[in-house]
Amino acid sequence: MTMINESLAGDFILVGFSDHPQLEKILFVVVLISYLLTLVGNTAIILISYLDPMLHTPMYYFLTHLSFVDLCFTTIIAPQLLWNLRGPYKTISPTGCAIQLYVSLALGSTECVLLAVMAFDRYAAVCRPLHYATGMHSRLCQSLVGMAWLSGVGNTLIQGTITLRLPRCGNRRIYHFICEVPAMVKLACVNIHANEVQLFMASLVLLLLPLTLILISYGCIAQAVMRIRSAQAWRKALGTCGSHLLVVTLFYGTITAVYIQPNSSYAHSQGKFITLLYTIVTPTLNPLIYTLRNKDVKGALRRLVQKDRAQQSEKL
């Protein structure tokens, strides 16, 4: 294991992947590329959805918020991770750790609910197409997004505050690469059974409940699609829901493995790599999934490029 510089008294030590020094170099390149792609991809979706009037629909309104969440989620984690992977210092200040814990937990919780909201939107589009335009009006969309953000902020204020108030008796070594609730709870020098139960219950509410609603929505969508005899309608329904379903699988498949698994296995390398997937890799893949599989986004991008070329031609 490489020596970790602990010269900054009072700071937390993010052990991370320091027991695999050769792997750290590879991870640095992977995380850097993923972060740059996340910045470009999610920013592009936000700008395209804002600039193209054809994308001013509930689906892309929710997608814009999802991209913003992914953008912020990765930004609160990736720069600190890159710094720790690159240099001898594996530290983070108590203030920085608290900010990372609060913000990442709020954004992760918001994304859980937001994905359920997007599944409800797809259900309305496929199963109630005649009433979709009137049913999914702007005020309802804003209320649903507001509910997602409020649930995320509420969860982080409760869980984050309880976690940070636990006595640590000088324990500063976090056996992870981020300040996350399960890892921070491990530092406590008191009985943490109540905190583990509280974390598990919160995970049930903010992970399994939205996931259950998503599965119910797609169950109803599957029943509706099974009654469709037109191949074109099948392809349209698949195109409408396929991207979101793939994103749900990637996000929930990784985050539930961390927050629902037994705490005894959390500190193992497997838990770190799974966390790396939903904090760094998934936000990178989301914009690629929505652009490569979505004709509307690709069409909007072509229109914007053609409009820009036309404007440049007029200037010449």
Side-chain angles (χ1 to χ4, degrees), residues 261-287:
Q261 70 173 332
N263 289 325
S264 59
S265 63
Y266 182 79
H268 295 173
S269 296
Q270 182 182 4
K272 299 176 187 177
F273 284 107
I274 294 175
T275 303
L276 195 67
L277 288 176
Y278 76 79
T279 56
I280 302 296
V281 178
T282 300
T284 304
L285 295 178
N286 285 355

Side-chain angles (χ1 to χ4, degrees), residues 76-243:
I76 199 64
I77 295 171
Q80 179 69 46
L81 176 57
L82 289 170
W83 172 262
N84 291 345
L85 287 172
R86 184 61 177 171
Y89 291 98
K90 310 293 183 183
T91 58
I92 184 172
S93 68
T95 301
C97 186
I99 292 174
Q100 189 179 73
L101 185 143
Y102 274 117
V103 176
S104 62
L105 183 58
L107 293 171
S109 303
T110 299
E111 182 159 352
C112 289
V113 180
L114 190 57
L115 288 173
V117 169
M118 295 177 72
F120 173 73
D121 173 68
R122 295 301 83 208
Y123 160 78
V126 175
C127 300
R128 299 288 187 271
L130 299 179
H131 304 284
Y132 179 72
T134 56
M136 295 298 294
H137 51 81
S138 59
R139 183 174 297 179
L140 176 61
C141 294
Q142 293 170 3
S143 299
L144 291 173
V145 167
M147 177 187 67
W149 282 103
L150 285 175
S151 63
V153 172
N155 180 52
T156 195
L157 288 177
I158 296 172
Q159 282 204 73
T161 302
I162 292 175
T163 301
L164 292 176
R165 288 175 64 88
L166 287 172
R168 292 183 288 272
C169 303
N171 295 329
R172 299 186 295 123
R173 295 175 67 89
I174 303 174
Y175 291 91
H176 212 292
F177 61 86
I178 60 172
C179 294
E180 200 173 32
V181 171
M184 295 296 292
V185 169
K186 291 287 185 181
L187 299 182
C189 57
V190 294
N191 192 317
I192 60 173
H193 177 71
N195 298 86
E196 292 176 339
V197 172
Q198 178 258 337
L199 175 62
F200 181 75
M201 295 303 296
S203 301
L204 288 179
V205 174
L206 287 169
L207 283 175
L208 296 187
L209 180 58
L211 181 58
T212 301
L213 295 176
I214 291 171
L215 294 176
I216 292 173
S217 297
Y218 276 103
C220 295
I221 290 173
Q223 289 182 343
V225 170
M226 291 297 292
R227 294 194 293 266
I228 299 176
R229 297 183 180 181
S230 170
Q232 183 178 359
W234 268 76
R235 287 192 296 270
K236 183 178 180 180
L238 182 61
T240 301
C241 303
S243 298

